[in-house]
Amino acid sequence: MNVCFLFIFVVFSLRSCFAKRVELNWSVEYVYGARDGSNYRRSIGVNGATPIPAVHVMQGDTLVLNVHNKLDVATSLHPHGIYNNGTNYFDGPDMVTECGIPPGESFTYEINTAAQSGTFWIHGHTRHADVDGLRTAFIIHSNKTSVDYDEELVITLEDWFSQEFLVRMEYVDNHKYDNGRISANYATGLFNGYNANRTAPIKFRPGKRYRLRVISMAAYNWSVFRISGHKMTVIEADGVRSMPLEVDGLNLGPGQRNSVIVTALNSTDFNYAFEFISTASTVNFQEDKLPKSYKGVVEYQESAPIKGFPEQSNKEMIWPDDMALQADDRQPWLTVDRTIDLPVTLYSDPLRVTFWSLGKTLYQPTIVPTLYTAMSMGELAFNESVYAPQTNAYVLRHLEVVEFVISNPFINGHTFHMHGHDFQVTEAGPC
């Protein structure tokens, strides 16, 4: 018994020695610039910078974000995809797990990474501050990996609007819609923070294997990414290692992430085009605005000619599919304790302003954060009626296995993100 205890203690001590507290001081503030290359406007950055530099830590590190809010409204930060198991008061959604950081005040987030590695991002979760630039990549590097590659690159894909989010919301408030679709809502695609047609080349060296961590930090638009003449092998989806899946390109909804391995060709005779397409099904299509295609170069040699894409339909290409991707750990199907139906619902007012809802109630924020209610109501916290009716709350038991049946009867695709959890996709098909 003493020997076993000593062994466990030594292993724990060694791991503790390698883990660090990575402390960053973030002043969230307004900055001015033209990230799309043409519209100079106010946006939100950190320490005077936009885009915000990516955050890198090693698995096991604790990321400490000391956040000071210099905005004139409340703000908060959400580490997208992080479990926050036991620390969900650091999760970030205002009026769900916190009140938000008032103007002129500070708050410290501590993000433990012991249980996870992979490709994540950090973004504002109050008053849609992420849409105005409060978002950046968050990479947790694994201490051990079974995937062999020579170099990794982080690629962020964004939609960027010519007006601030709250200004654009006035279009909704004033019913400025066109046949149920938002008017004046065309975004510019950003590639690694800037207009995707003006991005620097991605530089490849012959024969090298590259891990591309591709993150859709878009607020609204879907993102397609592909490289001419190169296959991609998906090895990670949304922070979960996957069995290798070879594809022709990626099709990412807002918030989704994929890591892919791309093997560089052996010749430097040509450079190759890459394409980023930004599109949205709920906005009127307009030539050269939506969908919008952006082109860049994968460069082997600066003066080499560029090979473009062959004529090929989407149906002929292989894209990642939720049912085709398999988690690397190959866990068996969970045994379900309870099923909850969550239909996607569309609400329209007489002037055809549309609102989307998950479940049968249109969500509205509460005046007390939901977590505070759960922590202060004692046994009544298990009674769904103590939560505001507009939250459509479900109370789950500890370690309960819940099956969510999400039915979307509309033509518009939606991504769904569950804070603090991974989940198994067990079935998919037409409604």
Side-chain angles (χ1 to χ4, degrees), residues 360-366 384-393:
K360 297 180 180 179
T361 303
L362 186 63
Y363 178 84
Q364 295 291 328
T366 60
E384 292 171 357
S385 65
V386 305
Y387 303 95
Q390 76 270 21
T391 64
N392 199 27

Side-chain angles (χ1 to χ4, degrees), residues 366-388:
T366 60
I367 59 173
V368 175
T370 305
L371 179 62
Y372 295 8
T373 301
M375 296 297 291
S376 62
M377 293 300 292
E379 285 299 316
L380 284 176
F382 294 97
N383 187 333
E384 292 171 357
S385 65
V386 305
Y387 303 95

Side-chain angles (χ1 to χ4, degrees), residues 240-280:
V240 177
R241 288 192 299 273
S242 68
M243 298 295 294
L245 178 67
E246 188 176 80
V247 297
D248 292 306
L250 303 177
N251 188 359
L252 300 173
Q256 290 186 300
R257 298 94 64 205
N258 280 157
S259 276
V260 296
I261 298 295
V262 180
T263 301
L265 306 179
N266 289 319
S267 170
T268 60
D269 292 342
F270 294 95
N271 296 324
Y272 295 83
F274 73 76
E275 183 178 39
F276 160 37
I277 301 173
S278 182
T279 189

Side-chain angles (χ1 to χ4, degrees), residues 338-342 394 396 402-406 418 423 426:
R338 178 182 177 190
T339 297
I340 295 175
D341 290 317
L342 292 176
Y394 293 90
L396 310 180
V402 181
E403 177 185 63
F404 292 99
V405 179
I406 301 172
M418 182 177 291
F423 50 84
T426 58

Side-chain angles (χ1 to χ4, degrees), residues 117 142 144 146 235-237 239-243 326-329:
S117 65
S142 176
K144 57 180 181 179
S146 58
I235 60 166
E236 178 208 352
V240 177
R241 288 192 299 273
S242 68
M243 298 295 294
Q326 298 182 48
D328 183 63
D329 59 14

Side-chain angles (χ1 to χ4, degrees), residues 28-74:
V28 176
E29 55 196 55
Y30 295 114
V31 293
Y32 290 82
R35 287 179 58 186
D36 60 1
S38 56
N39 294 289
Y40 184 85
R41 73 168 182 88
R42 189 175 77 165
S43 60
I44 300 175
V46 165
N47 300 336
T50 182
I52 302 167
V55 177
H56 292 262
V57 299
M58 295 299 299
Q59 185 177 7
D61 291 347
T62 298
L63 174 63
V64 181
L65 286 176
N66 300 313
V67 181
H68 180 67
N69 180 16
K70 285 191 174 181
L71 307 179
D72 55 16
V73 295

Side-chain angles (χ1 to χ4, degrees), residues 141-212:
H141 297 275
S142 176
N143 295 314
K144 57 180 181 179
T145 179
S146 58
V147 181
D148 179 41
Y149 54 90
D150 300 296
E151 188 178 340
E152 70 173 46
L153 304 170
V154 176
I155 294 173
T156 58
L157 308 175
E158 303 174 68
D159 46 11
W160 191 255
F161 297 90
S162 60
Q163 297 170 310
E164 293 180 51
F165 177 81
L166 293 180
V167 175
R168 291 174 50 245
M169 276 299 294
E170 292 180 7
Y171 284 95
V172 176
D173 295 338
N174 295 323
H175 306 115
K176 293 180 180 178
Y177 269 60
D178 180 13
N179 292 325
R181 296 169 184 255
I182 303 173
S183 303
N185 202 42
Y186 300 107
T188 298
L190 304 185
F191 188 97
N192 284 343
Y194 297 99
N195 188 309
N197 277 333
R198 305 175 188 179
T199 186
I202 299 173
K203 296 193 176 183
F204 275 10
R205 291 179 293 165
K208 298 294 184 181
R209 285 167 55 86
Y210 292 87
R211 178 177 186 167
L212 307 184

